[in-house]
Amino acid sequence: MPPSDSSNLLPGFELPKPPLKTRFDLHRGDCIAGMERLPAESVNVVVTSPPYNLGIDYGTYQDDLSESAYLDWTLRWVEGVKRVLRADGSLFLNIGGSAKQPWLPLLVPLALRDTLVLQNTIHWIKSITIESGDAEPVSVGHFKPINSKRYLNDCHEYVYHFTKYGDVPVDRLAIGVPYADKSNIARWQHTAGRDRRCRGNAWFVPYETIKERSKDRPHPATFPVKLADYCVRLIGKAPEEVTMLDPFLGIGHAAVAAAELEVAHFIGYEIDDVYLSAACERLGVKPI
Ligand SMILES: C[S@@+](CC[C@H](N)C(=O)[O-])C[C@H]1O[C@@H](n2cnc3c(N)ncnc32)[C@H](O)[C@@H]1O
């Protein structure tokens, strides 16, 4: 397959010019079986979003397990991740709920309490309204209205940052933001004169604007490339030293982030042929 051109990519994202620096191993098949074949402690960062068990139509995967079967399965794939993760590695696990199933994204980290340490909880904000002073409120992001007498619009998901021991340093300023009040730069010694502070754990990352859903985002539940990008930047490692894994590849948004950041090695698994092909086409690589 020829290297991808930017027409296969999402608006606003361009892969580096070929040949890509990242080595891609995109596997067709079950991630639990696949991860068993990877060497122990070989992965620096996992950025992933498993199926949420909300009955989404994924094509191949049946997204309607009982709650206990889903949590057992979650534990199994996370144990697979734990085995391949380095001692200073990070798992960023994105999950959301629904108005009628609000507990699930909270039960998942609870089920993992004895397996990994929850080092940070990040709120992925998809849409928000900012009111500042007397100015008109500004609404930004993708807002899909629901008509309900009971529920608020759900404008966020979780990204749980798990590590093995809870002591992994993060490069907060790698995804930092400028100070709104510049007098803080001189006031706080730790800034060392730099106009940059921690972004905090509420990340506003809207979906990329697309023209045609079936062509530009042929998958029912994706995360933006930028979300994965932030996670990888946060670990603060030189990209040429990073091995990244997404056990639930989908159409490959984490893989696109890996290509853009030029991480050395990216490994992905996907059980659905259609999604795997879309990811491979985007990156101009052949599936394994
Ligand atoms: C929430 S989606 C991931 C979407 C991805 N983050 C993206 O932005 O394209 C979860 C994906 O996991 C895949 N999947 C489900 N069970 C799997 C398994 N056991 N091994 C590998 N992939 C699986 C589904 O087919 C689905 O595409």
Side-chain angles (χ1 to χ4, degrees):
M1 208 180 290
S4 175
D5 67 25
S6 54
S7 63
N8 289 329
L9 270 181
L10 303 159
F13 287 95
E14 262 185 57
L15 289 181
K17 291 212 181 322
L20 297 180
K21 288 202 177 145
T22 306
R23 188 181 118 217
F24 285 100
D25 293 335
L26 306 187
H27 300 264
R28 174 177 291 119
D30 172 50
C31 63
I32 296 178
M35 287 190 291
E36 280 170 11
R37 292 190 283 275
L38 297 179
E41 307 216 346
S42 57
V43 170
N44 303 93
V45 61
V46 179
V47 182
T48 199
S49 178
Y52 297 178
N53 210 35
L54 297 176
I56 290 174
D57 181 3
Y58 281 112
T60 304
Y61 177 79
Q62 294 299 309
D63 193 34
D64 56 1
L65 298 175
S66 69
E67 187 176 285
S68 65
Y70 178 77
L71 293 174
D72 285 350
W73 173 76
T74 299
L75 195 54
R76 283 180 53 223
W77 73 255
V78 171
E79 274 168 354
V81 164
K82 185 179 178 184
R83 191 188 68 79
V84 300
L85 206 58
R86 287 174 181 269
D88 64 349
S90 287
L91 161 62
F92 292 91
L93 196 174
N94 160 232
I95 190 158
S98 71
K100 289 192 177 144
Q101 294 189 62
W103 288 111
L104 203 75
L106 303 170
L107 293 175
V108 163
L110 276 177
L112 302 178
R113 267 180 102 164
D114 298 331
T115 307
L116 289 169
V117 176
L118 180 56
Q119 193 171 314
N120 285 288
T121 298
I122 297 151
H123 299 268
W124 165 24
I125 312 296
K126 302 173 178 180
S127 163
I128 195 163
T129 298
I130 298 157
E131 295 176 56
S132 172
D134 294 335
E136 277 284 291
V138 178
S139 296
V140 280
H142 178 76
F143 187 83
K144 195 168 145 200
I146 57 162
N147 187 8
S148 173
K149 287 192 164 46
R150 286 194 285 169
Y151 300 125
L152 298 176
N153 268 88
D154 193 5
C155 300
H156 99 302
E157 295 192 11
Y158 297 89
V159 180
Y160 295 115
H161 175 209
F162 287 104
T163 58
K164 284 193 173 174
Y165 308 107
D167 58 357
V168 174
V170 289
D171 185 355
R172 304 174 344 146
L173 298 191
I175 57 163
V177 294
Y179 279 94
D181 176 353
K182 303 297 181 200
S183 69
N184 282 318
I185 305 167
R187 182 172 312 128
W188 305 114
Q189 227 180 10
H190 67 258
T191 65
R194 233 177 127 192
D195 183 11
R196 210 133 164 109
R197 66 157 174 83
C198 177
R199 177 176 293 270
N201 68 347
W203 295 356
F204 172 63
V205 187
Y207 279 107
E208 297 92 359
T209 305
I210 52 172
K211 287 196 194 118
E212 208 184 310
R213 171 96 207 203
S214 59
K215 179 173 160 283
D216 296 335
R217 200 183 290 142
H219 189 287
T222 59
F223 53 51
V225 175
K226 198 170 181 183
L227 193 76
D229 173 291
Y230 280 3
C231 295
V232 179
R233 285 179 198 271
L234 192 60
I235 68 166
K237 293 226 178 297
E240 62 274 17
E241 290 167 14
V242 171
T243 295
M244 180 176 171
L245 164 69
D246 185 351
F248 303 99
L249 182 69
I251 55 173
H253 290 101
V256 172
E260 288 187 335
L261 292 166
E262 304 194 324
V263 309
H265 187 191
F266 180 94
I267 305 157
Y269 299 94
E270 175 53 59
I271 48 166
D272 189 287
D273 272 347
V274 175
Y275 302 148
L276 182 69
S277 300
C280 288
E281 194 189 336
R282 209 159 253 189
L283 293 150
V285 300
K286 288 202 166 101
I288 298 178

